Coordinates of all heavy atoms in Angstrom, one line a residue:
Chain A
M940 N 4.5 15.3 -30.4 CA 5.8 14.8 -30.7 C 6.8 15.2 -29.6 O 7.6 14.5 -29.1 CB 6.3 15.2 -32.1 CG 5.6 14.5 -33.2 SD 6.1 15.0 -34.8 CE 7.8 14.4 -34.9
A941 N 6.7 16.5 -29.2 CA 7.7 17.0 -28.3 C 7.5 16.4 -26.9 O 8.5 16.0 -26.3 CB 7.4 18.5 -28.1
T942 N 6.2 16.1 -26.5 CA 6.0 15.5 -25.2 C 6.5 14.0 -25.2 O 7.1 13.6 -24.2 CB 4.5 15.5 -24.9 OG1 4.1 16.9 -25.0 CG2 4.2 15.0 -23.5
V943 N 6.1 13.3 -26.3 CA 6.4 11.9 -26.3 C 7.9 11.6 -26.4 O 8.5 10.7 -25.8 CB 5.6 11.1 -27.4 CG1 6.1 9.7 -27.4 CG2 4.1 11.2 -27.0
L944 N 8.6 12.5 -27.3 CA 10.0 12.3 -27.6 C 10.8 13.0 -26.6 O 12.1 12.8 -26.5 CB 10.3 12.7 -29.0 CG 9.5 12.0 -30.1 CD1 9.9 12.5 -31.5 CD2 9.9 10.4 -30.0
G945 N 10.2 13.9 -25.7 CA 11.0 14.6 -24.8 C 11.9 15.7 -25.4 O 13.2 15.8 -25.0
I946 N 11.5 16.4 -26.5 CA 12.3 17.4 -27.1 C 11.5 18.7 -27.2 O 10.3 18.7 -26.8 CB 12.7 17.0 -28.6 CG1 11.3 16.7 -29.4 CG2 13.6 15.8 -28.6 CD1 11.7 16.4 -30.9
A947 N 12.1 19.8 -27.5 CA 11.4 21.1 -27.5 C 10.5 21.2 -28.8 O 10.9 20.8 -29.9 CB 12.4 22.2 -27.5
A948 N 9.2 21.7 -28.7 CA 8.3 21.7 -29.8 C 8.9 22.6 -30.8 O 8.7 22.3 -32.0 CB 7.0 22.2 -29.3
D949 N 9.5 23.8 -30.5 CA 10.0 24.7 -31.5 C 11.3 24.2 -32.2 O 11.8 24.8 -33.2 CB 10.2 26.1 -30.9 CG 11.2 26.1 -29.8 OD1 11.9 25.1 -29.6 OD2 11.2 27.1 -29.1
S950 N 11.8 23.0 -31.8 CA 12.9 22.4 -32.6 C 12.5 21.5 -33.7 O 13.3 21.0 -34.4 CB 13.9 21.7 -31.5 OG 13.2 20.4 -31.2
I951 N 11.2 21.3 -33.7 CA 10.7 20.3 -34.7 C 10.4 21.1 -36.1 O 9.7 22.1 -36.2 CB 9.3 19.7 -34.2 CG1 9.6 18.8 -33.0 CG2 8.8 18.8 -35.3 CD1 8.4 18.3 -32.3
N952 N 11.1 20.5 -37.1 CA 10.9 21.1 -38.5 C 10.9 19.9 -39.5 O 10.9 18.8 -39.1 CB 11.9 22.1 -38.8 CG 13.3 21.6 -38.5 OD1 13.6 20.5 -39.0 ND2 14.2 22.4 -37.9
D953 N 11.0 20.3 -40.8 CA 10.8 19.2 -41.8 C 12.0 18.3 -41.8 O 12.0 17.2 -42.4 CB 10.7 19.9 -43.2 CG 9.2 20.4 -43.3 OD1 8.4 20.2 -42.4 OD2 8.9 20.9 -44.5
D954 N 13.1 18.7 -41.1 CA 14.3 17.8 -41.0 C 14.2 16.8 -39.8 O 15.0 15.9 -39.7 CB 15.5 18.6 -40.8 CG 15.8 19.4 -42.1 OD1 15.4 19.0 -43.2 OD2 16.4 20.5 -42.0
T955 N 13.2 17.0 -39.0 CA 13.1 16.1 -37.8 C 12.6 14.7 -38.2 O 11.6 14.5 -38.8 CB 12.0 16.8 -36.8 OG1 12.4 18.0 -36.5 CG2 11.9 15.9 -35.6
S956 N 13.5 13.7 -37.9 CA 13.1 12.3 -38.2 C 13.8 11.4 -37.2 O 14.6 11.8 -36.4 CB 13.5 12.0 -39.6 OG 15.0 11.8 -39.6
M957 N 13.5 10.2 -37.4 CA 14.1 9.2 -36.5 C 15.6 9.1 -36.6 O 16.3 8.8 -35.6 CB 13.5 7.7 -36.9 CG 12.9 7.0 -35.8 SD 12.1 5.5 -36.4 CE 12.2 4.5 -34.9
D958 N 16.1 9.6 -37.7 CA 17.5 9.7 -37.8 C 18.2 10.8 -37.1 O 19.3 10.8 -36.8 CB 17.9 9.8 -39.3 CG 17.4 8.5 -40.1 OD1 17.4 7.5 -39.5 OD2 17.1 8.7 -41.3
T959 N 17.4 12.0 -36.9 CA 18.0 13.1 -36.4 C 17.7 13.3 -34.9 O 18.3 14.1 -34.2 CB 17.5 14.4 -37.1 OG1 16.2 14.5 -37.0 CG2 18.0 14.3 -38.6
V960 N 16.7 12.6 -34.4 CA 16.3 12.7 -33.0 C 16.7 11.5 -32.2 O 16.3 10.4 -32.5 CB 14.8 13.0 -32.8 CG1 14.4 13.0 -31.3 CG2 14.3 14.2 -33.5
E961 N 17.6 11.7 -31.3 CA 18.2 10.6 -30.6 C 17.2 9.7 -29.8 O 17.3 8.5 -29.7 CB 19.3 11.1 -29.6 CG 20.3 10.2 -29.2 CD 21.3 10.8 -28.2 OE1 21.6 12.0 -28.3 OE2 21.7 10.1 -27.3
T962 N 16.2 10.5 -29.1 CA 15.3 9.7 -28.3 C 14.2 8.9 -29.1 O 13.4 8.2 -28.5 CB 14.5 10.7 -27.4 OG1 14.0 11.7 -28.1 CG2 15.5 11.3 -26.3
W963 N 14.2 9.2 -30.4 CA 13.1 8.6 -31.2 C 13.6 7.1 -31.6 O 14.0 6.9 -32.7 CB 12.9 9.5 -32.4 CG 11.7 9.2 -33.2 CD1 11.0 8.0 -33.2 CD2 11.1 10.0 -34.2 NE1 9.9 8.1 -34.1 CE2 9.9 9.3 -34.8 CE3 11.3 11.3 -34.7 CZ2 9.1 9.8 -35.7 CZ3 10.5 11.8 -35.7 CH2 9.4 11.1 -36.1
D964 N 13.4 6.1 -30.7 CA 13.6 4.8 -31.1 C 12.3 4.1 -31.4 O 11.3 4.7 -31.4 CB 14.5 4.1 -30.0 CG 13.7 4.2 -28.7 OD1 12.5 4.5 -28.7 OD2 14.4 4.0 -27.6
S965 N 12.4 2.7 -31.6 CA 11.2 2.0 -32.1 C 10.1 2.0 -31.0 O 9.0 2.0 -31.3 CB 11.6 0.6 -32.5 OG 12.2 -0.1 -31.4
I966 N 10.6 2.0 -29.7 CA 9.6 2.0 -28.6 C 8.9 3.4 -28.5 O 7.7 3.4 -28.5 CB 10.4 1.6 -27.3 CG1 10.7 0.2 -27.3 CG2 9.4 1.9 -26.1 CD1 11.6 -0.2 -26.2
K967 N 9.7 4.4 -28.6 CA 9.1 5.7 -28.5 C 8.2 5.9 -29.7 O 7.2 6.6 -29.7 CB 10.2 6.9 -28.5 CG 10.8 6.9 -27.1 CD 10.0 7.6 -26.1 CE 10.6 7.7 -24.7 NZ 10.8 6.4 -24.0
H968 N 8.6 5.3 -30.8 CA 7.8 5.5 -32.0 C 6.4 4.9 -31.9 O 5.4 5.5 -32.3 CB 8.5 4.7 -33.2 CG 7.7 5.0 -34.5 ND1 7.6 6.2 -35.2 CD2 7.0 4.1 -35.3 CE1 7.0 6.1 -36.3 NE2 6.5 4.8 -36.4
M969 N 6.4 3.8 -31.2 CA 5.0 3.1 -30.9 C 4.2 4.1 -30.0 O 3.0 4.3 -30.3 CB 5.4 1.9 -30.2 CG 4.3 1.0 -29.9 SD 4.9 -0.5 -29.0 CE 5.4 0.3 -27.5
N970 N 4.9 4.6 -29.0 CA 4.1 5.5 -28.1 C 3.7 6.7 -28.9 O 2.5 7.3 -28.7 CB 5.0 6.0 -27.0 CG 5.5 5.0 -26.0 OD1 4.9 3.8 -26.1 ND2 6.4 5.2 -25.2
L971 N 4.4 7.1 -29.9 CA 4.1 8.3 -30.7 C 2.8 8.0 -31.5 O 1.9 8.9 -31.5 CB 5.3 8.7 -31.6 CG 5.2 10.0 -32.4 CD1 5.0 11.2 -31.4 CD2 6.5 10.1 -33.2
V972 N 2.8 6.8 -32.1 CA 1.6 6.5 -33.0 C 0.4 6.4 -32.0 O -0.6 7.0 -32.4 CB 1.9 5.1 -33.6 CG1 0.6 4.7 -34.4 CG2 3.0 5.3 -34.6
L973 N 0.5 5.8 -30.9 CA -0.6 5.7 -29.9 C -1.1 7.1 -29.6 O -2.3 7.4 -29.6 CB -0.1 5.1 -28.6 CG -0.2 3.5 -28.5 CD1 0.3 3.1 -27.1 CD2 -1.6 3.1 -28.6
A974 N -0.2 8.0 -29.2 CA -0.5 9.3 -28.8 C -1.2 10.2 -29.9 O -2.1 10.9 -29.6 CB 0.7 10.0 -28.2
I975 N -0.7 10.0 -31.1 CA -1.3 10.7 -32.2 C -2.7 10.2 -32.5 O -3.7 11.0 -32.6 CB -0.5 10.6 -33.5 CG1 0.9 11.4 -33.3 CG2 -1.1 11.1 -34.7 CD1 1.9 11.0 -34.3
E976 N -2.9 9.0 -32.5 CA -4.2 8.4 -32.7 C -5.2 8.9 -31.6 O -6.4 9.2 -31.9 CB -4.1 6.9 -32.6 CG -3.4 6.2 -33.8 CD -3.5 4.7 -33.8 OE1 -3.6 4.1 -32.7 OE2 -3.4 4.1 -34.9
E977 N -4.7 8.9 -30.4 CA -5.6 9.3 -29.3 C -5.9 10.7 -29.3 O -7.0 11.2 -29.2 CB -4.9 8.9 -28.0 CG -5.7 8.9 -26.8 CD -4.9 8.6 -25.6 OE1 -3.7 9.0 -25.5 OE2 -5.4 7.9 -24.7
E978 N -4.9 11.6 -29.7 CA -5.1 13.1 -29.5 C -6.0 13.6 -30.7 O -6.7 14.4 -30.5 CB -3.6 13.7 -29.6 CG -3.6 15.0 -29.1 CD -3.8 15.1 -27.5 OE1 -3.3 14.2 -26.8 OE2 -4.4 16.0 -27.1
F979 N -5.8 12.9 -31.9 CA -6.6 13.4 -33.0 C -7.8 12.6 -33.3 O -8.5 12.8 -34.3 CB -5.7 13.5 -34.3 CG -4.7 14.5 -34.2 CD1 -3.4 14.1 -33.8 CD2 -4.9 15.8 -34.5 CE1 -2.4 15.1 -33.6 CE2 -3.9 16.8 -34.3 CZ -2.6 16.4 -33.9
G980 N -8.0 11.5 -32.5 CA -9.1 10.6 -32.8 C -9.2 9.9 -34.2 O -10.2 9.7 -34.8
V981 N -8.0 9.6 -34.6 CA -7.8 8.9 -35.9 C -7.2 7.5 -35.6 O -6.8 7.2 -34.6 CB -6.9 9.7 -36.9 CG1 -7.5 11.0 -37.2 CG2 -5.5 9.7 -36.3
S982 N -7.3 6.7 -36.7 CA -6.7 5.4 -36.6 C -5.6 5.3 -37.7 O -6.0 5.3 -38.9 CB -7.6 4.3 -36.7 OG -7.0 3.0 -36.8
I983 N -4.4 5.2 -37.4 CA -3.3 5.2 -38.4 C -3.3 3.8 -39.1 O -3.1 2.9 -38.3 CB -2.0 5.7 -37.9 CG1 -2.2 7.1 -37.4 CG2 -0.8 5.5 -38.9 CD1 -0.9 7.9 -37.1
P984 N -3.4 3.7 -40.4 CA -3.4 2.4 -41.0 C -2.1 1.7 -40.6 O -1.0 2.2 -40.6 CB -3.5 2.7 -42.5 CG -4.0 4.1 -42.6 CD -3.6 4.8 -41.4
D985 N -2.3 0.3 -40.5 CA -1.2 -0.5 -40.1 C 0.0 -0.4 -41.0 O 1.2 -0.3 -40.6 CB -1.7 -2.0 -40.0 CG -0.9 -2.8 -39.0 OD1 -0.4 -2.2 -38.0 OD2 -0.8 -4.0 -39.2
E986 N -0.3 -0.3 -42.4 CA 0.8 -0.2 -43.3 C 1.6 1.1 -43.2 O 2.8 1.2 -43.5 CB 0.4 -0.5 -44.8 CG -0.6 0.6 -45.2 CD -2.1 0.3 -45.0 OE1 -2.3 -0.5 -44.1 OE2 -2.9 0.8 -45.7
D987 N 1.0 2.1 -42.7 CA 1.7 3.4 -42.5 C 2.4 3.5 -41.2 O 3.4 4.2 -41.1 CB 0.7 4.6 -42.6 CG 0.2 4.8 -44.0 OD1 0.9 4.4 -44.9 OD2 -1.0 5.3 -44.1
A988 N 1.8 2.8 -40.1 CA 2.3 3.1 -38.8 C 3.9 3.0 -38.7 O 4.5 3.8 -38.0 CB 1.6 2.1 -37.8
A989 N 4.4 2.0 -39.3 CA 5.9 1.7 -39.1 C 6.7 2.7 -40.0 O 7.8 2.9 -39.7 CB 6.2 0.3 -39.5
N990 N 6.0 3.3 -41.0 CA 6.8 4.0 -42.0 C 6.9 5.6 -41.8 O 7.7 6.3 -42.3 CB 6.3 3.8 -43.4 CG 6.3 2.3 -43.8 OD1 7.3 1.7 -43.4 ND2 5.4 1.9 -44.5
I991 N 6.0 6.0 -40.9 CA 6.0 7.5 -40.6 C 7.1 7.9 -39.7 O 6.7 8.3 -38.5 CB 4.5 7.9 -40.2 CG1 4.0 7.0 -39.1 CG2 3.6 7.9 -41.4 CD1 2.7 7.7 -38.5
T992 N 8.3 7.9 -40.2 CA 9.4 8.1 -39.3 C 10.0 9.5 -39.4 O 11.1 9.7 -39.0 CB 10.5 7.0 -39.6 OG1 10.8 7.2 -41.0 CG2 10.1 5.6 -39.3
S993 N 9.2 10.5 -39.9 CA 9.7 11.9 -39.9 C 8.5 12.7 -39.7 O 7.4 12.4 -39.9 CB 10.4 12.2 -41.2 OG 9.5 12.3 -42.3
Y994 N 8.8 14.0 -39.3 CA 7.7 14.9 -39.1 C 6.9 15.2 -40.4 O 5.6 15.1 -40.3 CB 8.3 16.2 -38.5 CG 7.2 17.3 -38.5 CD1 6.1 17.2 -37.7 CD2 7.4 18.5 -39.3 CE1 5.2 18.2 -37.6 CE2 6.5 19.5 -39.2 CZ 5.3 19.4 -38.4 OH 4.4 20.3 -38.4
P995 N 7.5 15.4 -41.6 CA 6.7 15.6 -42.7 C 5.8 14.4 -43.1 O 4.7 14.6 -43.5 CB 7.8 15.8 -43.9 CG 9.0 16.2 -43.2 CD 9.0 15.5 -41.8
L996 N 6.4 13.1 -42.9 CA 5.6 12.0 -43.2 C 4.4 11.8 -42.3 O 3.3 11.5 -42.7 CB 6.4 10.7 -43.2 CG 7.4 10.5 -44.4 CD1 8.3 9.3 -44.1 CD2 6.5 10.2 -45.6
I997 N 4.6 12.1 -41.0 CA 3.5 12.0 -40.0 C 2.5 13.0 -40.4 O 1.2 12.7 -40.4 CB 4.0 12.3 -38.6 CG1 5.0 11.1 -38.1 CG2 2.9 12.3 -37.7 CD1 5.6 11.3 -36.8
R998 N 2.9 14.2 -40.7 CA 1.9 15.3 -41.1 C 1.1 14.9 -42.3 O -0.1 15.0 -42.3 CB 2.7 16.6 -41.3 CG 1.8 17.8 -41.4 CD 2.8 19.0 -41.7 NE 3.7 18.7 -42.8 CZ 4.9 19.4 -43.0 NH1 5.1 20.5 -42.3 NH2 5.7 19.1 -43.9
L999 N 1.8 14.3 -43.3 CA 1.0 13.8 -44.5 C -0.1 12.8 -44.2 O -1.2 13.0 -44.5 CB 2.1 13.3 -45.4 CG 1.6 12.9 -46.8 CD1 1.4 14.1 -47.7 CD2 2.6 12.0 -47.5
V1000 N 0.4 11.8 -43.4 CA -0.5 10.7 -43.1 C -1.7 11.2 -42.2 O -2.8 10.8 -42.4 CB 0.2 9.5 -42.5 CG1 -0.8 8.5 -41.9 CG2 1.1 8.8 -43.5
L1001 N -1.3 12.0 -41.3 CA -2.3 12.6 -40.4 C -3.3 13.4 -41.1 O -4.6 13.2 -40.9 CB -1.7 13.4 -39.3 CG -2.6 14.1 -38.2 CD1 -3.4 13.1 -37.5 CD2 -1.8 15.0 -37.3
N1002 N -2.9 14.2 -42.0 CA -3.9 15.1 -42.8 C -4.8 14.2 -43.6 O -5.9 14.5 -43.8 CB -3.1 16.1 -43.6 CG -2.6 17.3 -42.8 OD1 -3.3 17.7 -41.8 ND2 -1.5 17.8 -43.1
E1003 N -4.2 13.2 -44.2 CA -5.1 12.2 -45.0 C -6.2 11.7 -44.1 O -7.3 11.6 -44.5 CB -4.2 11.1 -45.5 CG -3.6 11.3 -46.8 CD -2.6 10.2 -47.2 OE1 -2.8 9.1 -46.7 OE2 -1.7 10.4 -48.0
Q1004 N -5.8 11.2 -42.9 CA -6.7 10.7 -42.0 C -7.8 11.7 -41.6 O -8.9 11.4 -41.5 CB -6.1 10.1 -40.8 CG -5.2 8.9 -41.0 CD -6.0 7.8 -41.6 OE1 -7.1 7.4 -41.3 NE2 -5.5 7.2 -42.7
L1005 N -7.3 12.9 -41.3 CA -8.3 13.9 -40.8 C -9.3 14.3 -41.9 O -10.4 14.6 -41.7 CB -7.5 15.2 -40.4 CG -6.8 15.0 -39.0 CD1 -5.9 16.2 -38.7 CD2 -7.8 14.7 -37.9

Side-chain angles (χ1 to χ4, degrees):
Chain A
M940 289 179 65
T942 305
V943 174
L944 301 175
I946 57 177
D949 56 15
S950 75
I951 296 172
N952 54 42
D953 283 3
D954 295 330
T955 302
S956 76
M957 234 171 155
D958 297 329
T959 61
V960 178
E961 202 184 321
T962 53
W963 192 344
D964 56 18
S965 63
I966 288 168
K967 286 282 180 291
H968 184 69
M969 183 180 69
N970 295 348
L971 188 58
V972 173
L973 273 178
I975 291 167
E976 290 186 332
E977 195 183 36
E978 204 66 36
F979 294 97
V981 297
S982 170
I983 297 192
D985 210 26
E986 64 270 23
D987 289 333
N990 299 327
I991 47 171
T992 54
S993 71
Y994 171 63
L996 282 172
I997 293 178
R998 190 179 48 199
L999 185 76
V1000 169
L1001 176 62
N1002 280 327
E1003 273 172 22
Q1004 290 303 316
L1005 287 173

